[in-house]
């Protein structure tokens, strides 16, 4: 695709709309100046071409310099009067056309696309393309901004793109109003650039998402595709594209609820890592054991029932169509009314989950269950963001928002795929989580909103480290996690995972020898992240942390240091 296509389009629109006004202006000036050159003055000599053009120029601006270069004859004054009206009419016509041009939707769209393409070209760091800027896309963009990661937004809703300009992001977030399934829009969004790491599909239409995924794979075979799905209608088609990550908010939330019942430490850690409001490592997020009542057996209800049953939780399902579900052992057919809740055993239930696709129904279930059993644990599903005030006033123990769940899971994936591998390892090794990792994080990184970042030991992210390796010297992980101001002090961060040649080392020791190509996942404070990233690029700081000797930073200081050493 030609680089100047957007500029050519803008030029073509301008020339097409302004062709007639330009012809009128040129004709008015030509006729006015030409006739003025033919009319004799007081001395009988006509006006020169330069003076005629000069007269028409200052007359058009209504400056009124008078009769220049000399006093006009009556014939010249008569023609000057005609020129005044003629030029004013020509300019009114031209200005009106310019106003219509500025309001032309094709012109404004072309200008916006050209400006968007230039903004994307100025990005010099890795970025992701987010297709769809609804609730999930907006939350994901905010999360990426908080982690100083750039994204490019494409959405068909012009109002959403206008709202993007009002956000106070920490990094540039260019936005384009357009269809992301159109190859040109993906091209303008930077799909072919080396800095583009992947594409997140959040349009809300899975058929559209599939079309975009196919276009992405054709335009950039190396880009990762993160696909939000709740129906799994196109799973087989997507798997054939390769490097596609499927995120189902219902599956994710069902897994988290199951973890909260049986492994609250991992559930709390997961919520803490994604920056959930008010979550700290000092207080576990746990739900009571016992019998649970599940109201609603749609897509989310099925995922929840499977997750709870797999963990041995006695679950009773209430749903109008539950009679046909042979896999459910304990069930009550009908809506979640007071009588049906009592029949399901709400007075003895440890918890009630309102998981239908209707917000009013879920709120009604919550209020009814609280009135019957004030001590039961209440979890409610919120389907629409605009009902947030009502759900907040209901004071449930947990509100499940599919958009928030999806955004958090995708954010962890985009920060580093190592996070998912770490969580899977911790789920399989709960003793290590409880006795080793959890206490270490509480001791060293006790904040409510931790920073989570991944570092690859290469020439781009860690040039100072690569220089050490070039000198055939060893470097330990502990050298990076120390304070460059005082190497005896540790930074407020923990290396969670090191990945080398496909193998994971969880919670590596300080004497772990690093190698080129290692990928390290860190968790810590914002200040610790800034210090560590600076160390990776500052050979002087790294030398001090490695040897304890402050290296000279100039030839003069080097000579002074060597003289003192003699």
């Amino acid at each position: 695709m030609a680089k100047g296509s957007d500029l050519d389009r803008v030029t073509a629109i301008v020339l097409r709309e302004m062709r007639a006004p330009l012809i009128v202006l040129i004709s008015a000036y030509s006729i006015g100046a030409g006739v003025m050159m033919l009319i004799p003055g007081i001395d009988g000599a006509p006006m020169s071409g330069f003076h005629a053009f000069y007269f028409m120029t200052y007359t058009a601006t209504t400056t009124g310099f008078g009769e220049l270069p000399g006093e006009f004859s009556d014939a010249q004054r008569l023609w000057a009067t005609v020129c005044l009206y003629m030029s004013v009419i020509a300019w009114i016509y031209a200005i009106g056309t310019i106003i219509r041009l500025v309001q032309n939707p094709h012109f404004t769209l072309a200008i916006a696309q050209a400006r968007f393409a230039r903004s994307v070209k100025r990005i010099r760091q890795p970025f992701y393309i987010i297709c769809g800027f609804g609730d999930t896309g907006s939350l994901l963009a905010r999360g990426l901004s908080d982690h100083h990661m750039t994204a490019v937004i494409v959405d068909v809703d012009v109002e959403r793109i206008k709202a993007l300009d009002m956000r106070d992001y920490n990094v540039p977030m260019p936005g384009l109003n357009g269809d992301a399934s159109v190859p040109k829009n993906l091209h303008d969004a930077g799909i072919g650039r080396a800095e583009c790491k992947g594409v997140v599909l959040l349009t809300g239409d899975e058929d559209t998402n599939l079309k975009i995924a196919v276009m992405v794979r054709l335009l950039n075979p190396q880009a990762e595709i993160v696909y939000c799905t709740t129906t799994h209608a196109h799973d087989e088609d997507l798997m054939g594209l390769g490097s596609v990550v499927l995120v189902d908010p219902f599956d994710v939330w069902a897994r988290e609820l199951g973890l909260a019942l049986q492994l609250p430490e991992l559930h709390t850690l997961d919520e803490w890592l994604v920056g959930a409001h008010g979550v700290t490592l000092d207080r576990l997020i746990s739900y009571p054991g016992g019998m649970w009542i599940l109201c609603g057996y749609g897509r989310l209800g099925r995922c929840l029932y499977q997750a709870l049953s797999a963990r041995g939780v006695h679950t009773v399902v209430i749903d109008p169509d539950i009679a046909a579900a042979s896999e459910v052992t304990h069930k009550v057919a009908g809506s979640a009314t007071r009588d049906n809740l009592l029949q399901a055993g709400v007075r003895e239930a440890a918890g009630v989950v309102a998981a239908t696709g209707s917000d009013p129904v879920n709120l009604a279930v919550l209020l009814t269950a609280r009135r019957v059993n004030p001590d039961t644990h209440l979890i409610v599903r919120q389907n629409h963001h605009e009902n947030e005030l009502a759900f907040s006033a209901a004071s449930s123990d947990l509100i499940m928002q599919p958009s928030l769940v999806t955004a958090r899971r995708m954010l962890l994936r985009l920060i580093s795929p190592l996070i998912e591998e770490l969580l899977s390892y911790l789920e399989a090794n709960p003793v290590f989580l409880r006795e080793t990792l959890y206490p270490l994080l509480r001791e060293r990184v006790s904040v409510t909103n931790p920073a989570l970042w991944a570092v690859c030991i290469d020439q781009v992210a860690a040039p100072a480290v690569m220089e050490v390796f070039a000198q055939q010297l060893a470097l330990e992980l502990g050298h990076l996690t120390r304070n460059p101001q005082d190497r005896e002090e540790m930074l407020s961060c923990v290396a969670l995972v090191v990945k080398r040649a496909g193998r994971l080392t969880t919670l590596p020791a300080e004497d772990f020898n690093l190698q080129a190509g290692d990928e390290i996942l860190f968790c810590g404070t914002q200040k610790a992240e800034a210090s560590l990233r600076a160390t990776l690029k500052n050979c002087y700081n790294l030398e001090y942390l490695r040897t304890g000797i402050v290296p000279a930073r100039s030839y003069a200081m080097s000579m002074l240091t060597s003289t003192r050493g003699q």
Side-chain angles (χ1 to χ4, degrees), residues 43-61:
D43 57 358
M47 189 180 294
S48 68
F50 171 75
H51 286 147
F53 176 76
Y54 177 60
F55 165 75
M56 289 298 300
T57 300
Y58 76 71
T59 299
T61 61

PDB file of all heavy atoms in Angstrom, residues 43-61:
ATOM      1  N   ASP A  43      -3.730  60.836 -16.729  1.00  0.00           N
ATOM      2  CA  ASP A  43      -2.692  61.270 -17.674  1.00  0.00           C
ATOM      3  C   ASP A  43      -2.804  60.563 -19.016  1.00  0.00           C
ATOM      4  O   ASP A  43      -1.941  60.730 -19.881  1.00  0.00           O
ATOM      5  CB  ASP A  43      -1.313  61.055 -17.076  1.00  0.00           C
ATOM      6  CG  ASP A  43      -1.084  59.595 -16.687  1.00  0.00           C
ATOM      7  OD1 ASP A  43      -2.029  58.766 -16.860  1.00  0.00           O
ATOM      8  OD2 ASP A  43       0.011  59.264 -16.193  1.00  0.00           O
ATOM      9  N   GLY A  44      -3.828  59.728 -19.179  1.00  0.00           N
ATOM     10  CA  GLY A  44      -4.023  59.033 -20.443  1.00  0.00           C
ATOM     11  C   GLY A  44      -3.317  57.699 -20.536  1.00  0.00           C
ATOM     12  O   GLY A  44      -3.568  56.931 -21.461  1.00  0.00           O
ATOM     13  N   ALA A  45      -2.433  57.412 -19.577  1.00  0.00           N
ATOM     14  CA  ALA A  45      -1.683  56.138 -19.599  1.00  0.00           C
ATOM     15  C   ALA A  45      -2.412  55.108 -18.752  1.00  0.00           C
ATOM     16  O   ALA A  45      -2.855  55.406 -17.634  1.00  0.00           O
ATOM     17  CB  ALA A  45      -0.270  56.344 -19.091  1.00  0.00           C
ATOM     18  N   PRO A  46      -2.579  53.869 -19.266  1.00  0.00           N
ATOM     19  CA  PRO A  46      -3.233  52.832 -18.452  1.00  0.00           C
ATOM     20  C   PRO A  46      -2.329  52.365 -17.314  1.00  0.00           C
ATOM     21  O   PRO A  46      -1.131  52.614 -17.294  1.00  0.00           O
ATOM     22  CB  PRO A  46      -3.495  51.724 -19.459  1.00  0.00           C
ATOM     23  CG  PRO A  46      -2.439  51.891 -20.488  1.00  0.00           C
ATOM     24  CD  PRO A  46      -2.171  53.371 -20.598  1.00  0.00           C
ATOM     25  N   MET A  47      -2.901  51.643 -16.366  1.00  0.00           N
ATOM     26  CA  MET A  47      -2.155  51.109 -15.214  1.00  0.00           C
ATOM     27  C   MET A  47      -1.307  49.919 -15.646  1.00  0.00           C
ATOM     28  O   MET A  47      -1.713  49.123 -16.502  1.00  0.00           O
ATOM     29  CB  MET A  47      -3.147  50.686 -14.116  1.00  0.00           C
ATOM     30  CG  MET A  47      -2.508  50.326 -12.787  1.00  0.00           C
ATOM     31  SD  MET A  47      -3.746  49.846 -11.561  1.00  0.00           S
ATOM     32  CE  MET A  47      -4.623  51.396 -11.339  1.00  0.00           C
ATOM     33  N   SER A  48      -0.122  49.789 -15.072  1.00  0.00           N
ATOM     34  CA  SER A  48       0.763  48.658 -15.399  1.00  0.00           C
ATOM     35  C   SER A  48       0.198  47.362 -14.813  1.00  0.00           C
ATOM     36  O   SER A  48      -0.653  47.387 -13.908  1.00  0.00           O
ATOM     37  CB  SER A  48       2.167  48.911 -14.850  1.00  0.00           C
ATOM     38  OG  SER A  48       2.164  48.889 -13.426  1.00  0.00           O
ATOM     39  N   GLY A  49       0.708  46.245 -15.306  1.00  0.00           N
ATOM     40  CA  GLY A  49       0.244  44.949 -14.821  1.00  0.00           C
ATOM     41  C   GLY A  49       0.513  44.744 -13.344  1.00  0.00           C
ATOM     42  O   GLY A  49      -0.330  44.224 -12.601  1.00  0.00           O
ATOM     43  N   PHE A  50       1.706  45.167 -12.887  1.00  0.00           N
ATOM     44  CA  PHE A  50       2.047  45.005 -11.473  1.00  0.00           C
ATOM     45  C   PHE A  50       1.122  45.832 -10.600  1.00  0.00           C
ATOM     46  O   PHE A  50       0.585  45.355  -9.579  1.00  0.00           O
ATOM     47  CB  PHE A  50       3.496  45.406 -11.229  1.00  0.00           C
ATOM     48  CG  PHE A  50       3.876  45.465  -9.774  1.00  0.00           C
ATOM     49  CD1 PHE A  50       4.079  44.299  -9.051  1.00  0.00           C
ATOM     50  CD2 PHE A  50       3.986  46.684  -9.118  1.00  0.00           C
ATOM     51  CE1 PHE A  50       4.404  44.352  -7.707  1.00  0.00           C
ATOM     52  CE2 PHE A  50       4.312  46.743  -7.780  1.00  0.00           C
ATOM     53  CZ  PHE A  50       4.525  45.570  -7.064  1.00  0.00           C
ATOM     54  N   HIS A  51       0.890  47.094 -10.971  1.00  0.00           N
ATOM     55  CA  HIS A  51       0.035  47.957 -10.171  1.00  0.00           C
ATOM     56  C   HIS A  51      -1.418  47.480 -10.204  1.00  0.00           C
ATOM     57  O   HIS A  51      -2.142  47.606  -9.205  1.00  0.00           O
ATOM     58  CB  HIS A  51       0.130  49.410 -10.675  1.00  0.00           C
ATOM     59  CG  HIS A  51       1.423  50.070 -10.301  1.00  0.00           C
ATOM     60  ND1 HIS A  51       2.042  51.011 -11.101  1.00  0.00           N
ATOM     61  CD2 HIS A  51       2.228  49.916  -9.222  1.00  0.00           C
ATOM     62  CE1 HIS A  51       3.165  51.410 -10.528  1.00  0.00           C
ATOM     63  NE2 HIS A  51       3.304  50.749  -9.385  1.00  0.00           N
ATOM     64  N   ALA A  52      -1.862  46.937 -11.327  1.00  0.00           N
ATOM     65  CA  ALA A  52      -3.229  46.404 -11.405  1.00  0.00           C
ATOM     66  C   ALA A  52      -3.403  45.206 -10.462  1.00  0.00           C
ATOM     67  O   ALA A  52      -4.411  45.089  -9.755  1.00  0.00           O
ATOM     68  CB  ALA A  52      -3.544  45.996 -12.838  1.00  0.00           C
ATOM     69  N   PHE A  53      -2.405  44.321 -10.453  1.00  0.00           N
ATOM     70  CA  PHE A  53      -2.456  43.170  -9.540  1.00  0.00           C
ATOM     71  C   PHE A  53      -2.391  43.628  -8.087  1.00  0.00           C
ATOM     72  O   PHE A  53      -3.103  43.104  -7.218  1.00  0.00           O
ATOM     73  CB  PHE A  53      -1.314  42.207  -9.861  1.00  0.00           C
ATOM     74  CG  PHE A  53      -1.225  41.049  -8.906  1.00  0.00           C
ATOM     75  CD1 PHE A  53      -2.130  39.997  -8.994  1.00  0.00           C
ATOM     76  CD2 PHE A  53      -0.256  41.018  -7.910  1.00  0.00           C
ATOM     77  CE1 PHE A  53      -2.064  38.932  -8.106  1.00  0.00           C
ATOM     78  CE2 PHE A  53      -0.194  39.952  -7.024  1.00  0.00           C
ATOM     79  CZ  PHE A  53      -1.098  38.913  -7.120  1.00  0.00           C
ATOM     80  N   TYR A  54      -1.547  44.638  -7.816  1.00  0.00           N
ATOM     81  CA  TYR A  54      -1.421  45.169  -6.465  1.00  0.00           C
ATOM     82  C   TYR A  54      -2.748  45.783  -6.008  1.00  0.00           C
ATOM     83  O   TYR A  54      -3.186  45.577  -4.864  1.00  0.00           O
ATOM     84  CB  TYR A  54      -0.296  46.206  -6.427  1.00  0.00           C
ATOM     85  CG  TYR A  54      -0.127  46.892  -5.084  1.00  0.00           C
ATOM     86  CD1 TYR A  54       0.164  46.165  -3.935  1.00  0.00           C
ATOM     87  CD2 TYR A  54      -0.263  48.273  -4.982  1.00  0.00           C
ATOM     88  CE1 TYR A  54       0.337  46.796  -2.713  1.00  0.00           C
ATOM     89  CE2 TYR A  54      -0.110  48.922  -3.767  1.00  0.00           C
ATOM     90  CZ  TYR A  54       0.188  48.171  -2.633  1.00  0.00           C
ATOM     91  OH  TYR A  54       0.347  48.792  -1.426  1.00  0.00           O
ATOM     92  N   PHE A  55      -3.397  46.504  -6.897  1.00  0.00           N
ATOM     93  CA  PHE A  55      -4.681  47.116  -6.566  1.00  0.00           C
ATOM     94  C   PHE A  55      -5.722  46.040  -6.233  1.00  0.00           C
ATOM     95  O   PHE A  55      -6.461  46.144  -5.249  1.00  0.00           O
ATOM     96  CB  PHE A  55      -5.153  47.991  -7.738  1.00  0.00           C
ATOM     97  CG  PHE A  55      -6.599  48.365  -7.649  1.00  0.00           C
ATOM     98  CD1 PHE A  55      -7.036  49.329  -6.753  1.00  0.00           C
ATOM     99  CD2 PHE A  55      -7.544  47.741  -8.464  1.00  0.00           C
ATOM    100  CE1 PHE A  55      -8.381  49.653  -6.668  1.00  0.00           C
ATOM    101  CE2 PHE A  55      -8.886  48.081  -8.381  1.00  0.00           C
ATOM    102  CZ  PHE A  55      -9.298  49.033  -7.479  1.00  0.00           C
ATOM    103  N   MET A  56      -5.785  44.980  -7.043  1.00  0.00           N
ATOM    104  CA  MET A  56      -6.760  43.920  -6.796  1.00  0.00           C
ATOM    105  C   MET A  56      -6.469  43.184  -5.484  1.00  0.00           C
ATOM    106  O   MET A  56      -7.392  42.757  -4.783  1.00  0.00           O
ATOM    107  CB  MET A  56      -6.763  42.924  -7.959  1.00  0.00           C
ATOM    108  CG  MET A  56      -7.365  43.452  -9.243  1.00  0.00           C
ATOM    109  SD  MET A  56      -9.116  43.884  -9.055  1.00  0.00           S
ATOM    110  CE  MET A  56      -9.801  42.308  -8.585  1.00  0.00           C
ATOM    111  N   THR A  57      -5.198  43.085  -5.135  1.00  0.00           N
ATOM    112  CA  THR A  57      -4.813  42.355  -3.924  1.00  0.00           C
ATOM    113  C   THR A  57      -5.266  43.102  -2.681  1.00  0.00           C
ATOM    114  O   THR A  57      -5.929  42.545  -1.807  1.00  0.00           O
ATOM    115  CB  THR A  57      -3.295  42.134  -3.887  1.00  0.00           C
ATOM    116  OG1 THR A  57      -2.901  41.382  -5.035  1.00  0.00           O
ATOM    117  CG2 THR A  57      -2.893  41.387  -2.627  1.00  0.00           C
ATOM    118  N   TYR A  58      -4.918  44.378  -2.562  1.00  0.00           N
ATOM    119  CA  TYR A  58      -5.289  45.081  -1.340  1.00  0.00           C
ATOM    120  C   TYR A  58      -6.773  45.417  -1.305  1.00  0.00           C
ATOM    121  O   TYR A  58      -7.356  45.601  -0.250  1.00  0.00           O
ATOM    122  CB  TYR A  58      -4.409  46.305  -1.101  1.00  0.00           C
ATOM    123  CG  TYR A  58      -4.683  47.535  -1.931  1.00  0.00           C
ATOM    124  CD1 TYR A  58      -5.825  48.311  -1.742  1.00  0.00           C
ATOM    125  CD2 TYR A  58      -3.750  47.972  -2.877  1.00  0.00           C
ATOM    126  CE1 TYR A  58      -6.056  49.455  -2.482  1.00  0.00           C
ATOM    127  CE2 TYR A  58      -3.967  49.113  -3.625  1.00  0.00           C
ATOM    128  CZ  TYR A  58      -5.116  49.852  -3.416  1.00  0.00           C
ATOM    129  OH  TYR A  58      -5.337  50.999  -4.146  1.00  0.00           O
ATOM    130  N   THR A  59      -7.398  45.495  -2.471  1.00  0.00           N
ATOM    131  CA  THR A  59      -8.836  45.714  -2.506  1.00  0.00           C
ATOM    132  C   THR A  59      -9.584  44.488  -1.981  1.00  0.00           C
ATOM    133  O   THR A  59     -10.559  44.605  -1.231  1.00  0.00           O
ATOM    134  CB  THR A  59      -9.297  46.024  -3.936  1.00  0.00           C
ATOM    135  OG1 THR A  59      -8.642  47.212  -4.396  1.00  0.00           O
ATOM    136  CG2 THR A  59     -10.807  46.235  -3.980  1.00  0.00           C
ATOM    137  N   ALA A  60      -9.116  43.297  -2.335  1.00  0.00           N
ATOM    138  CA  ALA A  60      -9.766  42.056  -1.894  1.00  0.00           C
ATOM    139  C   ALA A  60      -9.702  41.893  -0.384  1.00  0.00           C
ATOM    140  O   ALA A  60     -10.600  41.311   0.230  1.00  0.00           O
ATOM    141  CB  ALA A  60      -9.122  40.859  -2.581  1.00  0.00           C
ATOM    142  N   THR A  61      -8.644  42.437   0.235  1.00  0.00           N
ATOM    143  CA  THR A  61      -8.513  42.329   1.691  1.00  0.00           C
ATOM    144  C   THR A  61      -9.249  43.447   2.413  1.00  0.00           C
ATOM    145  O   THR A  61      -9.187  43.520   3.647  1.00  0.00           O
ATOM    146  CB  THR A  61      -7.030  42.368   2.086  1.00  0.00           C
ATOM    147  OG1 THR A  61      -6.472  43.620   1.672  1.00  0.00           O
ATOM    148  CG2 THR A  61      -6.264  41.245   1.438  1.00  0.00           C
TER     149      THR A  61
END
